[in-house]
Amino acid sequence: SEPEELHGLIFWQLKTMLIASTTNSADEAGLKPFVYSKAKRLTQNYSPEELRALSHNMIALYHESRMGGGGLEISLEKFLLGIQ
């Protein structure tokens, strides 16, 4: 997969987790029940603030790579290795 594709998938999952962490149902979140329940389970490992920070970092690394701050592939690898 291309780095842009991987970035999009990871960012989508972070965004879905953030939405699930701040809502009480799939309907309220605007998500399908399976997607919502999966994301809700994953949010048990992170606070909403941590999810916001991870999401912000994903956006920043994408823009930095586009502005000549390094390759997206390397930035994604560093990001993923930094998640605990």
Side-chain angles (χ1 to χ4, degrees):
S1 297
E2 293 296 318
E4 290 82 7
E5 182 180 357
L6 291 174
H7 179 275
L9 291 170
I10 296 165
F11 181 71
W12 178 85
Q13 187 63 55
L14 281 170
K15 182 176 72 168
T16 303
M17 289 169 62
L18 187 56
I19 291 168
S21 74
T22 59
T23 57
N24 296 314
S25 69
D27 287 336
E28 182 182 349
L31 299 170
K32 299 287 185 184
F34 174 76
V35 173
Y36 178 80
S37 64
K38 178 181 166 189
K40 194 71 164 178
R41 276 192 315 273
L42 292 171
T43 63
Q44 295 173 357
N45 300 320
Y46 301 95
S47 70
E49 294 78 27
E50 289 174 314
L51 291 171
R52 278 189 209 91
L54 289 170
S55 178
H56 175 75
N57 290 343
M58 284 295 286
I59 293 168
L61 74 87
Y62 181 81
H63 287 293
E64 287 170 7
S65 74
R66 292 291 179 206
M67 296 171 59
L72 184 58
E73 182 176 351
I74 299 300
S75 297
L76 275 174
E77 184 175 344
K78 288 179 180 178
F79 175 83
L80 292 172
L81 291 173
I83 292 178
Q84 299 179 10

